[in-house]
Amino acid sequence: MKAHGHRNARPEETASDPVWRTRTASARERAVATADARCKAQVNPVGTWNAVEVAYQRQTVDQNADELARVRVDLRLRQRLAGTVLNERRRVSRTARVSGPPDALAGESRRGSHHPALPRD
C-alpha cells in the first residue's frame, strides 16, 4: 500500500480505518480500495496466512502424534459403544411397537372386571 502512496501498510489496517465509515464511497476511498485489491493480488496475504497456519498445525500434529493416536482410538471405541446402545434401543423400540404395551384388561370386559380402577357391577 505504501508503494501506491497510502499510509496503511497492512491489509487489516485499511479495512478497519474509521475514515471509510460513510454512507457513500469517496473518490479517495475507491482509489484506496483499488490499490488494496491490487496489493492483495500481488502479495497474496490470504495464501501466505493459510500456508503458515497449515505449517503450524502440521507441526503441532506431528509433535503430538502419540497422544492424538490414543485420542483417536478412544473416540472410535466411544462411537462403537454409542452405536451399540442406539441399536439396542432401536431394537427394543421396534419390538415394543410390534407387540404393543401389555393390556391389563386383555380378555376381560369392563363389566364384572376385577380391575381396581373400574367399577364393579
Side-chain angles (χ1 to χ4, degrees):
M1 292 295 289
K2 283 184 182 180
H4 296 287
H6 303 288
R7 63 183 172 93
N8 296 336
R10 297 172 29 196
E12 64 273 11
E13 290 175 3
T14 302
S16 63
D17 193 334
V19 74
W20 312 130
R21 294 188 187 129
T22 61
R23 289 189 175 273
T24 57
S26 66
R28 181 171 173 257
E29 184 175 1
R30 286 191 294 278
V32 169
T34 301
D36 184 51
R38 285 186 182 135
C39 181
K40 285 178 182 172
Q42 291 172 349
V43 176
N44 188 23
V46 174
T48 303
W49 291 333
N50 183 59
V52 170
E53 180 70 24
V54 167
Y56 278 125
Q57 288 178 5
R58 286 187 176 147
Q59 182 181 21
T60 301
V61 168
D62 290 345
Q63 290 172 348
N64 296 287
D66 292 341
E67 179 63 21
L68 291 170
R70 285 190 292 273
V71 169
R72 179 183 291 134
V73 168
D74 184 57
L75 287 173
R76 286 183 178 159
L77 175 62
R78 289 171 188 257
Q79 287 173 330
R80 273 199 311 272
L81 291 172
T84 301
V85 169
L86 291 173
N87 288 334
E88 179 62 20
R89 283 188 167 189
R90 286 185 196 116
R91 187 188 67 72
V92 169
S93 177
R94 281 193 301 269
T95 303
R97 279 195 303 255
V98 170
S99 64
D103 188 357
L105 303 177
E108 295 185 19
S109 69
R110 290 180 72 114
R111 243 181 194 325
S113 168
H114 298 292
H115 191 279
L118 298 175
R120 290 179 174 231
D121 286 313

